[in-house]
Amino acid sequence: MPSAETRTYRFLWLRTFHEPIAVRVVRDASGDRVIATQLDGAGGYAPGKLSRRTEIALTPAQADAFEQGLEADGLWTMPVPRELAGKDGSEWVVEGASTRYRVVRQWSPEDGPVRAMGERFLALTGWTLDPKY
């Protein structure tokens, strides 16, 4: 588990028929940053190989706003959603690690806190994505 000075957050967007995406926000002694990766396969079948990777420095104000947003969305306090699988759609997984660890996941959320958290991560990438997938 990271030290109190290190905080890491990760979003996994595992889409059945589309490219898997992982977005990580890291706050540590070397600075605040977002690291996003996308594979070229289909998340539900064959994830594939790395097709793009982006690393972007965040200002402390951006990183603070991101953390405050996750806190407001309830990352550390929300009940874990029970919908954990489906056939067509996507799994949305949000993790937070500091001196504590928390994971929440939901199958194809159309709205609500897990959806809001995932969109918060995706917005940091600068990528143009269709969030309906």
Side-chain angles (χ1 to χ4, degrees):
M1 190 160 301
S3 72
E5 295 83 32
T6 300
R7 296 183 304 279
T8 304
Y9 305 93
R10 182 171 63 169
F11 171 60
L12 299 174
W13 193 18
L14 305 174
R15 305 177 289 174
T16 302
F17 300 111
H18 294 82
E19 302 86 354
I21 292 177
V23 182
R24 189 168 25 120
V25 173
V26 179
R27 303 195 75 183
D28 62 18
S30 63
D32 301 326
R33 61 203 174 280
V34 59
I35 303 157
T37 57
Q38 181 173 347
L39 304 181
D40 63 3
Y45 298 95
K49 297 178 201 150
L50 183 66
S51 64
R52 69 174 159 173
R53 181 182 188 280
T54 301
E55 185 166 341
I56 303 166
L58 298 174
T59 66
Q62 288 173 309
D64 287 346
F66 174 80
E67 280 187 317
Q68 291 165 4
L70 290 183
E71 183 79 29
D73 292 334
L75 173 61
W76 302 107
T77 58
M78 69 179 284
V80 177
R82 295 202 179 267
E83 298 174 33
L84 299 179
K87 292 185 180 181
D88 297 341
S90 59
E91 184 174 11
W92 293 51
V93 181
V94 179
E95 296 174 278
S98 59
T99 56
R100 55 188 171 166
Y101 174 79
R102 174 84 165 158
V103 61
V104 294
R105 49 187 255 213
Q106 191 170 6
W107 186 259
S108 296
E110 293 183 18
D111 55 23
V114 174
R115 176 82 184 200
M117 286 185 267
E119 289 177 350
R120 194 176 300 285
F121 278 92
L122 293 172
L124 293 175
T125 68
W127 296 348
T128 300
L129 299 164
D130 186 346
K132 74 178 179 180
Y133 295 110

